[in-house]
Amino acid sequence: MKNTASFIAVLLFSAISFAQNGPKIEFAASDNTIDYGKISKGDNGLRSFEFTNTGDAPLLITGAESTVSSIIVTKPAAAILPGKKGKIDVKYNMVAGPIRKTITVETNAVNYPDGRVALKIKGEVQ
């Protein structure tokens, strides 16, 4: 019984340690959201989601897109090394009205399910 308990403890510790290894993405924006606030149509609509790879392996951004054509998303082409920062640029086409949009980012990060991260923009174009 003692050997079984020891084996289970070692197995759990190993699984937890293994799950924490790899690239991790941490965004600077609170709740992964950028608030444009109330802005005019004259604003260029460009904002950046800044992030850091807090993991121990290179972070790859394999995809970043919105389901609407009013947003242009630009992602880093190269891997982000551990401890380094990167950014994902979002350019919103300044159409009058409320802004409530989501951008889906696909990564190899281990701290999000399947490496998929939802980024949000909100605000109002006057």
Side-chain angles (χ1 to χ4, degrees):
M1 184 70 166
K2 184 177 180 182
N3 287 339
T4 303
S6 296
F7 175 74
I8 291 172
V10 168
L11 185 63
L12 286 174
F13 180 75
S14 297
I16 290 169
S17 296
F18 177 74
Q20 294 177 351
N21 290 336
K24 295 179 183 174
I25 190 167
E26 298 291 336
F27 285 90
S30 176
D31 297 326
N32 297 349
T33 301
I34 289 181
D35 188 348
Y36 279 70
K38 292 186 179 196
I39 55 175
S40 71
K41 283 182 145 184
D43 188 296
N44 70 5
L46 182 63
R47 303 293 187 274
S48 296
F49 284 94
E50 296 179 357
F51 63 87
T52 303
N53 178 359
T54 59
D56 59 5
L59 173 70
L60 300 172
I61 309 293
T62 56
E65 57 187 41
S66 173
T67 57
V68 295
S69 62
S70 59
I71 299 175
I72 299 170
V73 182
T74 307
K75 67 176 186 64
I80 308 301
L81 298 176
K84 299 297 181 184
K85 295 179 184 279
K87 68 179 182 169
I88 296 171
D89 292 327
V90 176
K91 183 169 177 56
Y92 181 73
N93 183 6
M94 305 308 277
V95 177
I99 304 170
R100 300 278 184 275
K101 307 296 180 197
T102 301
I103 296 100
T104 302
V105 178
E106 295 178 356
T107 73
N108 65 336
V110 298
N111 59 326
Y112 282 91
D114 297 325
R116 296 182 76 137
V117 184
L119 304 177
K120 297 177 183 168
I121 60 171
K122 65 181 186 177
E124 184 177 352
V125 180
Q126 299 180 339

